[in-house]
Amino acid sequence: MDKPFETLEQHFHLPHVREVGIDRPLLWLRAGWEDMRENLGASLSYGVILAALGYLILSYAAGLPYLFTTAISGFFLIGPVAAAGLYEISRQHEQGHPVSFLGSLRGLRGHADGLAYFGAFLAIALIGWERISAVLFALFYDGNVADLSNFFRSVFLSGEHLSFVAAYLVVGAIIATVVFALSVTAVPMLIDRKVDIVTAAMASLRAVAVNPAAMALWAAIIVGLVAVGFATMMVGMVILLPLLGHASWHAYRELMR
């Protein structure tokens, strides 16, 4: 079972991945909370900016239900790169340096190429999901697109569009799983080490393969907390996004030796 991944490690010179217990994501959250508390101004600056951008995107998509659902799921796809500044705060804090919002941005300049390339990959995944989402609506949804206020009740909860709901959730889950596996530790690694995006993505895939239970719990925590943020009309994101960003740094630091 591990042989293909051992070959990957040798070919891409991947770091060794630690095997961790299923409870570790809870400790990553605790460590992320400590980072956020000790760098509150810089962390919340990112939270406010990302929450405001998310609110603007969702407001724009509010009149287009299929685009609205894509925008929500797309938030998860672009999250790893959007949180890059938070990883840099945790990296500098770990080294004992004082961190400011502008200081974290300056710290990212040396990693601009890798972040841009990985961001392009995530952008392509997001655009692809938007197109696939539109096709799924065209193929499986045989009614008029409902008004957003009744959209989830009439489409997802009524039981009248089971084939559409099943196709939408299955395809969305496959794309989300692939992107999560390739990116969950990739961006922190690009910031922390001199590696290319393929090496970072393969190392991330290896981390998920070695720790399926812990990473499944971590994915569920991310989805749950981001859902809370959406339920509060993005207000909760001001705190939850920095928390997840800092916690993701600690996940990377524990998983990658």
Side-chain angles (χ1 to χ4, degrees):
M1 181 94 180
D2 280 346
K3 265 197 165 181
F5 291 106
E6 290 172 4
T7 303
L8 278 178
E9 283 185 0
Q10 295 167 0
H11 182 73
F12 290 104
H13 306 290
L14 304 183
H16 180 71
V17 173
R18 291 186 179 95
E19 188 172 354
V20 301
I22 192 174
D23 62 326
R24 299 309 293 176
L26 300 178
L27 299 178
W28 301 338
L29 280 177
R30 181 184 298 175
W33 178 262
E34 291 299 319
D35 278 7
M36 185 175 69
R37 191 181 66 178
E38 295 180 25
N39 302 277
L40 196 58
S43 298
L44 292 185
S45 294
Y46 281 103
V48 169
I49 291 170
L50 295 174
L53 288 175
Y55 183 81
L56 290 175
I57 292 171
L58 294 181
S59 296
Y60 171 78
L64 303 167
Y66 98 86
L67 190 58
F68 187 83
T69 56
T70 304
I72 291 177
S73 51
F75 212 86
F76 296 96
L77 298 183
I78 64 171
V81 167
L86 294 161
Y87 307 148
E88 178 63 12
I89 291 173
S90 285
R91 187 187 72 84
Q92 293 189 31
H93 177 70
E94 186 179 90
Q95 296 175 355
H97 299 152
V99 191
S100 66
F101 175 73
L102 292 178
S104 68
L105 291 177
R106 286 192 294 269
L108 293 177
R109 288 186 300 187
H111 315 285
D113 288 347
L115 292 175
Y117 290 136
F118 205 86
F121 159 68
L122 294 178
I124 291 170
L126 177 57
I127 293 170
W129 170 233
E130 187 276 331
R131 289 292 81 204
I132 291 171
S133 179
V135 169
L136 290 175
F137 266 83
L139 290 178
F140 291 99
Y141 183 63
D142 55 3
N144 295 323
V145 177
D147 179 78
L148 186 61
S149 60
N150 299 313
F151 177 70
F152 289 99
R153 183 172 67 250
S154 62
V155 175
F156 284 91
L157 301 179
S158 68
E160 298 176 4
H161 305 283
L162 292 180
S163 60
F164 165 73
V165 172
Y168 194 89
L169 293 179
V170 168
V171 174
I174 292 172
I175 293 174
T177 299
V178 171
V179 172
F180 174 80
L182 291 173
S183 65
V184 62
T185 64
V187 178
M189 188 175 182
L190 288 171
I191 292 172
D192 189 45
R193 310 182 188 203
K194 293 185 181 298
V195 297
D196 58 76
I197 64 170
V198 175
T199 300
M202 291 301 99
S204 181
L205 181 63
R206 171 67 169 153
V208 173
V210 170
N211 299 284
M215 299 312 283
L217 176 59
W218 183 228
I221 288 172
I222 292 172
V223 171
L225 291 182
V226 171
V228 171
F230 282 122
T232 60
M233 297 300 292
M234 304 302 289
V235 174
M237 294 292 196
V238 174
I239 293 175
L240 294 175
L241 290 179
L243 172 62
L244 288 172
H246 292 308
S248 294
W249 171 263
H250 288 280
Y252 155 73
R253 291 293 285 161
E254 181 171 9
L255 291 167
M256 299 295 173
R257 187 173 300 168

